[in-house]
Amino acid sequence: MKFETIAIHDGSLPEPGTGAVSVPIYQSTTFYQDGIGKPRAFEYSRSGNPTRAAWENAIAKVENGRYGLAYASGSAATLGTLQPLLLPGDEVIAGNDTYGGTYRIFEKILRPYRIRTNYVNADNLAEFASAITPRTKLIWVETPSNPLLKLIDLAALAEIARKNRILLAVDNTFATPYFQQPLNLGADIVIHSTTKYIGGHSDAVGGAAVTNLEEVYQKLKFYQNAAGAVPGPFDSWLFLRGVKTLKVRMETHAANALAIARFLEEHPAVGRVYYPGLPSHPQHALAARQMSGFGGMVSLVLKGCLGAVERFAAKTQLFLLAESLGGIESLLCYPAQMTHASVPPQERARRGIGDDLIRLSVGIENIDDLLADLRQALTD
Ligand SMILES: Cc1ncc(COP(=O)(O)O)c(C=O)c1O
């Protein structure tokens, strides 16, 4: 079956009791037991809930994985993946272009427990390979990355990880499983901020992890229950609903993003455009091979630095100045002070996140309206 059929049918079969085709929201914390030691399928909703179970099944199916786990946010999914797999003295290798909150987890939560992260250029395979030490347990990448939309060759990186007996975890938030399935390319774990494209409507914060490895799943599952950062039944239901329309939304996000990237690339007020779908993107060929579409995120550098950025952000009307991404409405973000404010200024500069960088999450509005909005915002 193709992606959209799986997303609609495979994740959530009609509910057996009533035949409801939309999985019911089981808004219950606890479940009646038939006797001492005789629970039915569910006992307590931190450990498991029928709506959440349907959502966990659906996210596993669309990532073509065996086991899915849902979390209260993408950050909870990140920590809920890293912490149970790492011990003091272990090392991680991470691309140097990730969501700022992920960097914060590496530096402010894991490092004090002597779990050290070494950063390498997010698009340089050789640097990942040469950063491996006997202590390396896990490689963490975003591809395309946030906010500079760098790519890494996942099949090649998975091969390096496999040869060195290291786990490869991929944050697939930007690409979504519709455009890229990292497990198929050899990754061990996929994580998502489902707050973004999978939820798709900017109305629920959530996260997910998917793996094929039983041992990894058991560790993550134990931690998920013990730490308890799980989504409630209603948010689980929103993500179940979101995943069903992911295909149609992603097609429009990507078509709009390509048109906008092309427009910006030609505009005299714009210094640089980052979008994997542009032939000028250094890894355009890899993007075309590894992904089935280029996604809805576009970053750009404006000529004229902070003043130009402030004027642009003040003038856009459809692109709303806000954190987050992946919703149906277009958003504009200033990474230096918003999504990547938790990365110290010197580290930001080292990573190439300048004070002139803007990140656009291109929505699914009419493209002519979006282009007109950007055109007027770029006009003095
Ligand atoms: C790529 C990526 N991963 C993880 C996260 C964290 O997700 P959440 O905000 O749902 O905790 C974000 C948030 O922006 C993100 O962009």
Side-chain angles (χ1 to χ4, degrees), residues 205-253:
V205 173
V210 181
T211 183
N212 281 318
L213 303 174
E214 164 81 24
E215 196 187 332
V216 167
Y217 169 69
Q218 291 304 343
K219 286 186 178 170
L220 267 57
K221 174 79 193 147
F222 177 84
Y223 184 91
Q224 181 206 41
N225 179 47
V230 292
F234 182 58
D235 283 1
S236 299
W237 182 86
L238 285 172
F239 295 125
L240 256 178
R241 185 172 70 161
V243 90
K244 292 180 191 182
T245 57
L246 188 63
K247 177 218 151 129
V248 287
R249 286 184 286 108
M250 290 317 295
E251 296 278 2
T252 308
H253 282 298

Side-chain angles (χ1 to χ4, degrees), residues 73-75 78 99 102 142 146 171 173-174 193 195-196 205-206 325:
S73 68
S75 303
T78 300
Y99 168 58
T102 302
E142 288 179 15
N146 183 1
D171 181 335
T173 300
F174 269 33
S193 167
T195 314
K196 312 293 162 34
V205 173
L325 61 109

Side-chain angles (χ1 to χ4, degrees), residues 168-352:
L168 172 60
V170 179
D171 181 335
N172 203 26
T173 300
F174 269 33
T176 82
Y178 179 60
F179 284 143
Q180 173 173 276
Q181 292 177 316
L183 298 181
N184 288 355
L185 298 168
D188 299 299
I189 307 156
V190 174
I191 82 110
H192 280 282
S193 167
T194 57
T195 314
K196 312 293 162 34
Y197 288 107
I198 289 178
H201 296 72
S202 308
D203 52 14
V205 173
V210 181
T211 183
N212 281 318
L213 303 174
E214 164 81 24
E215 196 187 332
V216 167
Y217 169 69
Q218 291 304 343
K219 286 186 178 170
L220 267 57
K221 174 79 193 147
F222 177 84
Y223 184 91
Q224 181 206 41
N225 179 47
V230 292
F234 182 58
D235 283 1
S236 299
W237 182 86
L238 285 172
F239 295 125
L240 256 178
R241 185 172 70 161
V243 90
K244 292 180 191 182
T245 57
L246 188 63
K247 177 218 151 129
V248 287
R249 286 184 286 108
M250 290 317 295
E251 296 278 2
T252 308
H253 282 298
N256 283 356
L258 180 60
I260 283 171
R262 284 181 177 146
F263 162 78
L264 292 171
E265 198 171 40
E266 295 301 315
H267 201 286
V270 177
R272 182 159 180 196
V273 180
Y274 303 83
Y275 183 64
L278 289 177
S280 59
H281 188 284
Q283 293 152 303
H284 177 62
L286 171 62
R289 198 170 74 236
Q290 178 162 282
M291 304 168 71
S292 58
F294 302 113
M297 300 301 297
V298 179
S299 291
L300 66 139
V301 168
L302 278 186
K303 292 179 186 160
C305 220
L306 189 54
V309 169
E310 279 170 348
R311 274 193 304 280
F312 179 69
K315 282 180 84 178
T316 53
Q317 288 175 359
L318 295 178
F319 282 84
L320 305 174
L321 181 65
E323 300 265 0
S324 203
L325 61 109
I328 47 175
E329 63 289 286
S330 293
L331 299 180
L332 184 160
C333 159
Y334 181 54
Q337 283 180 26
M338 295 166 78
T339 50
H340 290 69
S342 49
V343 181
Q346 283 149 324
E347 183 59 28
R348 269 202 314 268
R350 231 192 328 267
R351 290 167 174 230

